Amino acid sequence: GAVVSQHPSWVICKSGTSVKIECRSLDFQATTMFWYRQFPKQSLMLMATSNEGSKATYEQGVEKDKFLINHASLTLSTLTVTSAHPEDSSFYICSAGTSGGSSTDTQYFGPGTRLTVL
Amino acid sequence: SQQGEEDPQALSIQEGENATMNCSYKTSINNLQWYRQNSGRGLVHLILIRSNEREKHSGRLRVTLDTSKKSSSLLITASRAADTASYFCIAGNMLTFGGGTRLMVKP
């Protein structure tokens, strides 16, 4: 089956620093990847849709300059949390589909990255 | 609106009992997936059922899909304490989904 990996699995950083999280589709190409964040005991919240070769589409309320997304290849999307603050501490999960994000696509989720900002 | 909402929100049972969770969705889909998430961990893929399938089994898991009612159910038989987790359904390419069903299995 399709596998999506994330790196790192967890990261601790100081306030004010930037953190990059990678999402890779290991055995399939994904023209579209999705980034979510999850607060404790809550559901996943879609942050943005990452499109290969073009700008990401951000959901309402998500700061584009704060959460930089780059989808440089068909197997890699990165999320950079810039100037991280303690309130950015969260669980970040990416997903990728095999059919370009169509309404009937199958989404495969990465294992998530736990970010803790001190 | 959310594509895929689980019911109940929380379920507490004794070890050995069966647990049934339901999921409803709104639009047409080609497939539906069930995932498990342990506290503070990522999503683990459990089972995928396609729109032309009505029932599927995997070990102690049994999933049904009723496309006419736009609903699915996940049955965990002979539950174990290790089954304690949150369970999510993802219908098609659901970009937002409900809070899942939090299952607690008491030893």
Side-chain angles (χ1 to χ4, degrees), chain A residues 34 36 38 43-44 46 91 101-109 111 114, chain B residues 30-31 33 35 37 40-43 48 90 92-95 97-99:
Chain A
F34 302 96
Y36 301 79
Q38 185 182 35
S43 180
L44 278 72
L46 178 65
F91 197 54
S102 69
S103 61
T104 55
D105 196 5
T106 298
Q107 287 298 307
Y108 298 93
F109 285 78
R114 179 160 299 286
Chain B
N30 278 359
N31 60 72
Q33 303 176 79
Y35 282 82
Q37 184 181 35
R41 310 287 290 274
L43 293 165
L48 180 152
I90 298 175
N93 185 31
M94 188 166 56
L95 300 185
F97 41 100

Side-chain angles (χ1 to χ4, degrees), chain B residues 9 31 38 48 54 86:
Chain B
Q9 291 187 342
N31 60 72
N38 290 80
L48 180 152
R54 292 295 169 260
S86 290

Side-chain angles (χ1 to χ4, degrees), chain B residues 39-59:
Chain B
S39 180
R41 310 287 290 274
L43 293 165
V44 175
H45 185 257
L46 295 177
I47 197 165
L48 180 152
I49 185 167
R50 302 200 179 279
S51 59
N52 61 353
E53 298 175 309
R54 292 295 169 260
E55 188 172 310
K56 198 164 183 178
H57 296 255
S58 176

Side-chain angles (χ1 to χ4, degrees), chain A residues 12-61:
Chain A
I12 301 173
C13 70
K14 292 182 179 180
S15 185
T17 60
S18 295
V19 175
K20 180 184 284 187
I21 302 170
E22 294 184 348
C23 176
R24 293 181 185 273
S25 56
L26 297 185
D27 49 3
F28 67 98
Q29 294 183 332
T31 57
T32 303
M33 292 183 176
F34 302 96
W35 286 97
Y36 301 79
R37 68 182 297 181
Q38 185 182 35
F39 295 100
K41 298 183 179 179
Q42 294 188 32
S43 180
L44 278 72
M45 179 192 76
L46 178 65
M47 299 175 65
T49 303
S50 173
N51 305 297
E52 188 269 335
S54 65
K55 293 183 179 180
T57 304
Y58 290 81
E59 296 300 305
Q60 190 173 11

Side-chain angles (χ1 to χ4, degrees), chain B residues 13 15-20 57-62 74-80 83:
Chain B
I13 59 175
E15 204 165 31
E17 294 181 341
N18 296 341
T20 300
H57 296 255
S58 176
R60 294 184 295 112
L61 305 180
R62 173 178 166 254
L74 170 67
L75 168 68
I76 302 174
T77 60
S79 64
R80 304 168 183 169
D83 295 329

